[in-house]
Amino acid sequence: APTEISPLSRHDALPIYVGAVRLLSGQAGWVAGPHLNIYTPRTLAMLADLGATRWVAPVEVTRELLAGVLAERPAGVEAELFAYGRLPLAFSARCFTARRFNLQKEKCEYSCLDFPDGMLLSTREGQPFLVINGVQTQSARVYNLVGEIASIRATGVDIVRISPQSSGTVEV
């Protein structure tokens, strides 16, 4: 019997460490999230070919890069942009809040509930730097593109993502 060729074999530029993409390859309806580092129309087309139906742009993407990728967006792929909230910068398998209180992740006593917007970390000069929030490291400042919604739509973005805060999210 002939050997079946994986859909990924056509895309040998796709690194082996993109495990979730490998598992989802050939299944339609999955989201290519902001941590996949999609910065070119060619990469977006490749992932659409593998079944992605939505692209969430990386948080550091510029308006020009976003417009360039979306100008050549494959049919059937939605575009989403992070528009409000603390920027997600890194993730860990270990809960930072539990670790701060010397608790095991499995027995954390939900200590994060005492910090609804995370725990602020400051520089030596006392300036806000980062927020640790469970397993996430986030920006200390709240990112806000709400006043830019019209220009965001003009680039071709379909959906804006709002990351909830402990207060004010409904108004946003």
Side-chain angles (χ1 to χ4, degrees):
T3 304
E4 188 174 316
I5 298 174
S6 163
L8 287 176
S9 63
R10 296 176 302 199
H11 303 292
D12 50 7
L14 192 63
I16 191 88
Y17 62 82
V18 185
V21 171
R22 286 189 175 280
L23 290 172
L24 294 169
S25 177
Q27 299 180 41
W30 53 272
V31 176
H35 305 291
L36 287 179
N37 298 328
I38 300 167
Y39 299 105
T40 67
R42 182 176 174 198
T43 304
L44 183 56
M46 177 184 69
L47 291 172
D49 187 39
L50 295 172
T53 55
R54 181 183 295 177
W55 171 52
V56 183
V59 296
E60 71 275 7
V61 74
T62 64
R63 182 186 321 254
E64 294 76 22
L65 189 140
L66 179 66
V69 172
L70 294 180
E72 299 179 44
R73 168 179 25 174
V77 175
E78 296 175 311
E80 181 177 323
L81 185 68
F82 190 96
Y84 184 85
R86 295 185 193 281
L87 294 172
L89 303 174
F91 304 95
S92 172
R94 180 85 195 266
C95 174
F96 294 117
T97 310
R99 187 174 188 174
R100 162 65 176 83
F101 295 104
N102 291 324
L103 299 169
Q104 293 180 353
K105 183 177 179 182
E106 298 78 23
K107 297 177 184 176
C108 69
E109 302 171 21
Y110 298 103
S111 55
C112 57
L113 295 176
D114 294 333
F115 304 93
D117 286 318
M119 297 174 65
L120 180 66
L121 302 175
S122 298
T123 65
R124 288 182 183 181
E125 294 78 22
Q127 296 298 314
F129 178 56
L130 297 171
V131 165
I132 56 173
N133 194 350
V135 297
Q136 284 191 75
T137 301
Q138 301 173 320
S139 64
R141 298 180 116 187
V142 173
Y143 187 71
N144 187 350
L145 293 179
V146 172
E148 302 294 323
I149 298 297
S151 66
I152 290 169
R153 285 192 80 152
T155 65
V157 170
D158 303 298
I159 300 158
V160 292
R161 178 172 290 202
I162 296 172
S163 181
Q165 307 299 298
S166 64
S167 63
T169 302
V170 173
E171 292 78 14
V172 170

